[in-house]
Amino acid sequence: MSDIPYKVYLSEKEIPTQWYNVRADMKNKPAPLVNPGTGEPMKVDELFPVFCEELCRQEMDNETPYIDIPQEIQDFYKMYRPSPLVRAYCLEKALDTPAHIYYKFEGNNTSGSHKLNSAIAQAYYAKKQGLKGVTTETGAGQWGTALSMACAYLGLDCQVYMVKVSYEQKPFRREVMRTYGAKVTPSPSMETNIGRAINEQYPGTTGSLGCAISEAVEAATSQEGYRYVLGSVLNQVLLHQSVIGLEAKAALDKVGVKADMIIGCAGGGSNLGGLISPFVGQMLRGEADYDIIAVEPASCPSLTRGSYVYDFCDTGKVCPLAKMYTLGSGYIPAPNHAGGLRYHGMSPVISQLYDDKLISARSVKQTEVFEAAEMFARVEGILPAPESSHAIRVAIDEALKCKETGEEKNILFGLTGTGYFDMVAYQQYNDGTMSDYVPTDEEIAASLAQCPKF
Amino acid sequence: MSDIPYKVYLSEKEIPTQWYNVRADMKNKPAPLVNPGTGEPMKVDELFPVFCEELCRQEMDNETPYIDIPQEIQDFYKMYRPSPLVRAYCLEKALDTPAHIYYKFEGNNTSGSHKLNSAIAQAYYAKKQGLKGVTTETGAGQWGTALSMACAYLGLDCQVYMVKVSYEQKPFRREVMRTYGAKVTPSPSMETNIGRAINEQYPGTTGSLGCAISEAVEAATSQEGYRYVLGSVLNQVLLHQSVIGLEAKAALDKVGVKADMIIGCAGGGSNLGGLISPFVGQMLRGEADYDIIAVEPASCPSLTRGSYVYDFCDTGKVCPLAKMYTLGSGYIPAPNHAGGLRYHGMSPVISQLYDDKLISARSVKQTEVFEAAEMFARVEGILPAPESSHAIRVAIDEALKCKETGEEKNILFGLTGTGYFDMVAYQQYNDGTMSDYVPTDEEIAASLAQCPKF
C-alpha cells in the first residue's frame, strides 16, 4: 500500500477563498439565456425581478476567472468543508485492479450532498440584497434541504415547492426541511395560478420538476421581498460548485497525484461542472489533459440522446430559454426511475463543453447503478446516493478495464452524496423489484418536437 | 475569534493504536458478572459459549491499562476516523456565552453513530475465532447497522433481532442493514423458543430490547459457529469506545485546551464510557479534575432514580447477572418515549464511577431535548440524533449558566450521531404532538422489586 492516506484532508486555511469561473477560459462561451417573448438575449437587469442581483451578474459573467468568496460564506464552508478526498483502497482491493481510485466525498453534511455549496452562496446574496426570503423547487429533496439549512443559518424565509410524488413518498426529507424552518408545499399546489391550472388540466397529477419550478418562480415574483433560487443548471451554480474541483485538485496536488480520468454523475450538471472546472480550465489553457466522463441515467439521457437547442427550462414556460442538450421540456422519466438526475436538460456550460468534445458522456441503467452502489457500500462503508452511484458504476467499469490492460490509471470520481433518504429505492433493489427503462427514439423525438424554434 | 479551527482533525497516523482500559486505574473495580444459577462470579470460560473468546478475556480484564488495536481494525478505523473535534463557534454565538463549546462528532459514517467503533472490533474477533457469523439485537437500529457494516466488510454472516415496533416504524434502518447483507428479524419472532413463548404470553406485543437480547442469545447458542455480540453496557464495548475519548483528548491537547466539563448522553453507557475514559483515568491517577455529567432521559432514569443492585440483563433471563444502576429488567419506557437510551440498566463501569461520585448524572425531558436538537441543527448545521441531543441540552444549559456567571468554561460534549433515521420523532416535535412522561416512584419501585436478591 502506498503512503497516501485513506483520506486526504486540506487544512481549514486551504479551503478555496475564490470560486473559479471556467467560462472565462472557454473559447466557445455557453449560449446566452434568451427572452422567450422577444427571442433576444436576456439583459442582466431583465433577470432582476426573478433572481438576486449579484447572482444575475455572476450568471452573465463570462470574463472574470476568479471571484472572491465572501467571508461569511467562507465561515459557513468551515462548518462542513474541506470535504475529504478519499483513496478507495478497499474498492481497489475488492476489484483487484491496478487502477488507483479516488473520490471527492461531498455527503458529510446534513443536506447529504454538494448542494449546500451553492445554497449558502445564493442565500447569502439574497440576505445581502435585503430580501425577506427565497423560493425554490425540489425533487428528491437534496436541494430543498440544503437551501433550508442555509436560510436557517442566515435567518431567511425559505419556501420550497416539492414535487408531490416526492412529498408523499419522502416524508422524512420534508421533515428535515421543516426542522430547519422551511415551508414545504406539495407541487402542483392550489397556491399559484400555474399550480391551479395544472391541477385542473391534469387532475390527480403527482407533479414534475418543471412544474415545481414554474410555481416557485410565480411565488417569488408575486411576493414582496422574495426571489427565486435554483440548485443546478445555471452558470452561477456551477461557479459556486467549483469549490469541489478546486479542493479536489489541491488535495491531489498535495499527494503528488495527477488524475487521468474524471467521472461525475450529471443531472442538471452542478456537481459535474463543479468537480471538473479547474481541470477543464487546465485543458482549455493547454496545460494538461484529462479523460472526463459525464454519466447520466439511461432513462433520462439528455447528453447522449438529446439535441443541443434552445428550450424551455420549466413546464410553465415562465423562465428564460436556455440553449442546452435537452430531451424537451415535457420529458418526464418513466415512473420506475428511482433517483434524481431527472431534469430534461443539461447545464449550458456542460452542454457547450460536451459539444466541443472536451468531455464525453455515457448512460447507465439503474439496476447496474444499484449493483455498483451496494458493492461500494459494503467495501467502502458509505451508503451512496443513487445519483452518485452513476459515477461509481462507471468508475468500477473503468477500473475493471484497467485490470484487463494492466494500466495503473488514476481515476477520480465525485461522490456527491449519501443515500440515507433513498431507502425506498434500495428496498426495490434488495427485493428484486427494480426495473430499467430506456425511452424509444420515437418518444424522444416527440418530446423534442415541442422545443421552441430559433 | 480564536485561532482554533472549526474542526480539529488528527492525522491518520495519530489515530490511537491502543484502546485504554479505565478499569486498570479504578480502585473500586466494576462488580463481576454473576452466574444466575449459582450466584457465583462467572469464570471467563463460562462465557465462551455465548461470546467470542478474546472478547470474554477483554470483558474480564481489570488490570491491563492499554490493549493493542489489531492492524485490521486500525485499517477499518481509517475509513471513517479520526472523527472531528468541532469548536461550536456558531452555537456559542447564538447563545452569546463566554463558554467555549467543543463536541466530538461520531456521526460521519453510514451507521450514523459511534457504534461502529465496537462493531468492527467484535466482528474482527469473531472472524479471527473462525466463526461463521454473529447474532445481536437492535432497538433504534444504530447498533444493528454498525454491526451489519462490519460484517459485510469482513465477510461474516450477521443476524439481527430488531424490536418489532422499530422494525415496522423504521423500515429504512432495516433496509440499510439488508443492503449490507444482514438478516433482520422482527422480535419477538417465531424463530426462537423465547420468542414463541413471549408471543404466546403477550399476543400482539411490539417487543422490547430485553426480549430481543434473549432471542439473539438463543440464536447464537443454538447455531454451530455463531456467537452473540452486544453494542453497549459491557466492559469490552467501553474499552473499544475509548477511541472516542483518546482522540478527543489528543485533539484538545493539540490546540492547548483543557476541558472543564465533559457531557455525554447515557443509555447503556457505551458512548459516555468511551468519551470519558482517558479523562477519568487522569482523575483516578490524580493528574487532573473534570466535571463529568451523564445525561439520561427522564423517562428512563437508571442513574438518577434506579438502584445499584444485581439485575438481569435481558427479559428472558438467559444472560449473566450484572451489578448496575437499574430500573429493573421489566422496565420499559412509556410509549411516548421517542429515541434510544431505553435500556433498563447502566454499564457496570459507569455505575461504579457514579457510585464513587467521580461522575454526576442528570435527567432531561424529551421535549426539552428536541428543542435543543432543533436549535443545534439550525446553527451548527448537523441534524443530531435524539440520543446525542440529551448531551446538547445540558451543554446548552451549562453554557447559559456561564453567560450568567461570566465563566469562560471549556465544555466538551459527545455528539454521538445523526438523526437522519429519526424523522418520525422530529415530525412529532414539529407538529407539537410530542409529550413527556416521568415514571412515578411507585412504578419504579414495582419494577425494582423484581430484581434478584443477593
Side-chain angles (χ1 to χ4, degrees):
Chain A
M1 188 176 291
S2 79
D3 56 358
I4 293 174
Y6 280 64
K7 295 187 256 58
V8 184
Y9 272 108
L10 300 176
S11 76
E12 212 154 278
K13 288 176 181 157
E14 292 170 303
I15 298 176
T17 57
Q18 296 185 309
W19 292 304
Y20 168 63
N21 181 7
V22 71
R23 287 167 282 156
D25 283 315
M26 287 169 73
K27 206 157 76 177
N28 299 323
K29 306 294 181 190
L33 296 173
V34 156
N35 185 320
T38 64
E40 294 295 317
M42 298 287 286
K43 294 195 185 69
V44 68
D45 56 355
E46 287 182 288
L47 293 172
F48 288 172
V50 176
F51 298 106
C52 301
E53 295 183 9
E54 186 59 30
L55 293 167
C56 294
R57 284 187 276 270
Q58 292 181 357
E59 190 65 27
M60 298 289 197
D61 186 343
N62 288 343
E63 307 306 328
T64 315
Y66 287 95
I67 294 178
D68 287 342
I69 304 176
Q71 187 60 47
E72 291 87 333
I73 299 175
Q74 288 189 42
D75 287 343
F76 188 87
Y77 279 173
K78 286 177 197 163
M79 291 210 293
Y80 69 101
R81 307 202 69 81
S83 72
L85 177 79
V86 186
R87 173 74 184 269
Y89 282 117
C90 297
L91 181 60
E92 291 171 17
K93 191 176 164 193
L95 297 172
D96 189 23
T97 176
H100 296 182
I101 308 175
Y102 297 84
Y103 55 91
K104 180 70 171 165
F105 180 37
E106 292 287 319
N108 265 352
N109 69 75
T110 288
S111 82
S113 83
H114 66 292
K115 297 279 184 181
L116 201 51
N117 301 328
S118 185
I120 184 61
Q122 297 192 47
Y124 167 79
Y125 290 115
K127 179 85 177 177
K128 205 179 159 203
Q129 195 176 321
L131 299 177
K132 283 185 214 159
V134 290
T135 71
T136 199
E137 81 295 333
T138 200
Q142 289 180 338
W143 167 246
T145 308
L147 189 67
S148 66
M149 289 175 67
C151 288
Y153 180 80
L154 294 170
L156 212 55
D157 188 38
C158 181
Q159 300 178 359
V160 181
Y161 288 85
M162 186 170 188
V163 177
K164 194 178 276 177
V165 63
S166 296
Y167 182 91
E168 285 160 2
Q169 290 183 357
K170 294 198 164 188
F172 294 168
R173 276 277 190 209
R174 184 188 74 208
E175 286 308 317
V176 177
M177 290 186 259
R178 284 184 70 204
T179 299
Y180 282 94
K183 179 186 168 200
V184 188
T185 306
S187 168
S189 74
M190 297 303 280
E191 294 186 5
T192 64
N193 292 328
I194 290 167
R196 285 186 291 269
I198 291 175
N199 270 316
E200 195 168 312
Q201 200 178 347
Y202 307 101
T205 176
T206 54
S208 73
L209 214 46
C211 164
I213 294 175
S214 301
E215 284 204 271
V217 171
E218 183 183 324
T221 51
S222 60
Q223 294 176 89
E224 184 69 30
Y226 282 76
R227 292 293 185 282
Y228 168 71
V229 296
L230 180 63
S232 191
V233 182
L234 296 176
N235 298 338
Q236 59 187 265
V237 178
L238 270 71
L239 173 70
H240 307 147
Q241 295 295 357
S242 68
V243 70
I244 304 172
L246 291 166
E247 277 189 11
K249 188 165 180 312
L252 285 171
D253 289 348
K254 201 168 189 171
V255 292
V257 171
K258 194 232 161 231
D260 297 302
M261 181 171 271
I262 305 170
I263 300 165
C265 62
S270 73
N271 154 68
L272 180 74
L275 175 66
I276 67 175
S277 276
F279 301 99
V280 168
Q282 287 184 296
M283 292 170 76
L284 290 163
R285 297 188 303 269
E287 296 166 4
D289 204 22
Y290 300 98
D291 186 3
I292 298 176
I293 307 174
V295 189
E296 57 185 14
S299 51
C300 195
S302 57
L303 283 175
T304 50
R305 297 178 66 197
S307 293
Y308 191 30
V309 295
Y310 269 99
D311 194 11
F312 301 106
C313 293
D314 62 323
T315 309
K317 305 181 180 177
V318 297
C319 293
L321 301 174
K323 188 179 178 191
M324 53 187 181
Y325 276 86
T326 179
L327 298 163
S329 63
Y331 185 84
I332 294 177
N336 67 346
H337 176 86
L341 311 180
R342 51 173 66 239
Y343 189 64
H344 65 277
M346 180 59 67
S347 139
V349 170
I350 297 289
S351 292
Q352 187 61 47
L353 293 173
Y354 179 64
D355 206 58
D356 287 341
K357 302 198 177 356
L358 284 152
I359 66 177
S360 63
R362 206 175 291 180
S363 75
V364 288
K365 292 181 185 169
Q366 68 177 355
T367 52
E368 300 163 347
V369 166
F370 275 83
E371 182 194 28
E374 188 167 284
M375 180 191 189
F376 183 84
R378 292 186 184 188
V379 300
E380 286 287 321
I382 298 169
L383 186 90
E387 297 80 10
S388 325
S389 304
H390 288 70
I392 295 174
R393 174 74 269 168
V394 171
I396 289 176
D397 291 345
E398 291 298 321
L400 290 174
K401 281 186 202 164
C402 288
K403 186 179 175 180
E404 286 181 23
T405 63
E407 288 172 287
E408 289 188 19
K409 278 189 188 173
N410 290 317
I411 300 174
L412 167 67
F413 73 88
L415 187 68
T416 58
T418 51
Y420 307 149
F421 292 93
D422 299 286
M423 295 317 297
V424 171
Y426 273 96
Q427 181 168 5
Q428 287 169 0
Y429 179 74
N430 291 333
D431 290 344
T433 58
M434 178 173 277
S435 59
D436 294 310
Y437 182 77
V438 179
T440 64
D441 290 340
E442 291 70 26
E443 284 172 294
I444 291 176
S447 175
L448 279 170
Q450 305 304 315
C451 291
K453 303 289 173 280
F454 278 89
Chain B
M1 191 175 291
S2 79
D3 56 358
I4 294 173
Y6 280 64
K7 295 188 257 57
V8 184
Y9 273 108
L10 301 175
S11 76
E12 211 153 278
K13 287 176 183 158
E14 294 169 303
I15 298 176
T17 57
Q18 296 185 309
W19 293 303
Y20 168 63
N21 180 9
V22 71
R23 286 167 282 155
D25 283 315
M26 286 170 74
K27 206 159 74 180
N28 299 322
K29 307 293 182 192
L33 296 173
V34 156
N35 185 320
T38 65
E40 292 296 315
M42 299 287 287
K43 293 194 187 68
V44 67
D45 56 353
E46 288 181 288
L47 293 171
F48 288 173
V50 177
F51 298 106
C52 301
E53 295 182 9
E54 186 58 32
L55 292 167
C56 295
R57 283 188 275 271
Q58 292 181 356
E59 189 65 26
M60 298 289 196
D61 185 344
N62 288 341
E63 307 305 327
T64 315
Y66 288 95
I67 294 177
D68 287 343
I69 304 176
Q71 187 60 49
E72 291 87 335
I73 300 176
Q74 288 188 43
D75 286 344
F76 188 87
Y77 279 172
K78 286 177 196 162
M79 291 210 295
Y80 70 101
R81 307 201 69 82
S83 73
L85 177 78
V86 186
R87 173 74 184 267
Y89 282 117
C90 297
L91 181 60
E92 291 171 16
K93 192 176 163 192
L95 297 172
D96 189 23
T97 176
H100 295 183
I101 307 174
Y102 297 84
Y103 55 92
K104 180 69 171 166
F105 180 38
E106 291 287 320
N108 265 352
N109 70 76
T110 287
S111 82
S113 82
H114 66 292
K115 297 280 185 181
L116 201 51
N117 301 328
S118 185
I120 185 62
Q122 298 193 47
Y124 168 80
Y125 290 115
K127 179 86 178 176
K128 205 178 158 203
Q129 195 176 321
L131 299 177
K132 284 186 215 158
V134 289
T135 72
T136 198
E137 81 295 334
T138 201
Q142 290 179 337
W143 168 246
T145 308
L147 189 68
S148 65
M149 288 174 68
C151 287
Y153 180 80
L154 294 169
L156 211 55
D157 188 37
C158 181
Q159 300 178 358
V160 181
Y161 288 84
M162 187 171 188
V163 178
K164 195 178 277 177
V165 62
S166 296
Y167 183 92
E168 286 162 1
Q169 290 182 357
K170 294 198 163 187
F172 294 169
R173 275 277 189 208
R174 183 187 74 208
E175 284 309 318
V176 176
M177 290 185 260
R178 284 183 71 205
T179 299
Y180 282 94
K183 178 186 170 201
V184 187
T185 307
S187 167
S189 74
M190 296 304 281
E191 295 187 5
T192 64
N193 293 326
I194 290 168
R196 284 186 290 270
I198 291 175
N199 270 316
E200 196 169 310
Q201 199 178 348
Y202 308 100
T205 176
T206 54
S208 73
L209 213 47
C211 164
I213 294 175
S214 302
E215 285 204 271
V217 171
E218 182 183 326
T221 51
S222 61
Q223 293 177 88
E224 184 70 30
Y226 282 77
R227 291 294 184 282
Y228 168 69
V229 296
L230 180 63
S232 190
V233 182
L234 296 176
N235 298 339
Q236 60 187 267
V237 179
L238 270 72
L239 173 71
H240 307 146
Q241 295 296 357
S242 68
V243 70
I244 305 173
L246 291 165
E247 278 188 11
K249 188 166 179 313
L252 284 171
D253 289 348
K254 202 169 189 170
V255 292
V257 171
K258 194 236 160 226
D260 298 302
M261 182 171 269
I262 305 171
I263 301 165
C265 62
S270 73
N271 154 67
L272 180 74
L275 176 66
I276 66 175
S277 277
F279 301 100
V280 169
Q282 287 185 295
M283 292 170 76
L284 290 163
R285 298 188 303 268
E287 297 166 4
D289 204 22
Y290 301 97
D291 186 2
I292 298 178
I293 307 174
V295 190
E296 58 185 13
S299 52
C300 196
S302 57
L303 284 176
T304 50
R305 297 179 65 196
S307 293
Y308 190 31
V309 296
Y310 269 100
D311 194 11
F312 301 105
C313 293
D314 62 322
T315 309
K317 304 181 182 178
V318 298
C319 294
L321 301 174
K323 187 179 177 193
M324 53 186 179
Y325 276 85
T326 179
L327 297 163
S329 64
Y331 185 83
I332 294 177
N336 67 346
H337 176 86
L341 310 182
R342 51 174 65 238
Y343 188 64
H344 65 277
M346 179 60 65
S347 139
V349 171
I350 296 290
S351 293
Q352 187 61 48
L353 294 172
Y354 178 64
D355 206 56
D356 288 340
K357 303 200 177 355
L358 284 152
I359 66 176
S360 62
R362 206 175 289 182
S363 75
V364 288
K365 293 182 184 168
Q366 69 178 355
T367 52
E368 300 163 347
V369 166
F370 276 83
E371 182 194 28
E374 188 167 284
M375 180 191 187
F376 183 84
R378 292 186 183 189
V379 299
E380 286 287 321
I382 298 169
L383 187 89
E387 296 79 11
S388 325
S389 304
H390 288 70
I392 296 175
R393 173 74 269 168
V394 171
I396 289 176
D397 290 345
E398 291 298 321
L400 290 174
K401 281 186 203 165
C402 288
K403 187 179 173 180
E404 284 180 24
T405 62
E407 288 172 286
E408 288 188 20
K409 278 189 188 173
N410 290 317
I411 300 174
L412 167 66
F413 73 89
L415 187 68
T416 57
T418 50
Y420 307 148
F421 292 93
D422 300 286
M423 295 316 297
V424 170
Y426 273 96
Q427 181 168 5
Q428 288 169 0
Y429 179 74
N430 291 334
D431 290 345
T433 58
M434 177 173 277
S435 59
D436 293 311
Y437 181 78
V438 180
T440 64
D441 291 341
E442 291 70 27
E443 283 173 296
I444 291 176
S447 175
L448 279 170
Q450 306 304 315
C451 290
K453 303 290 173 278
F454 278 90

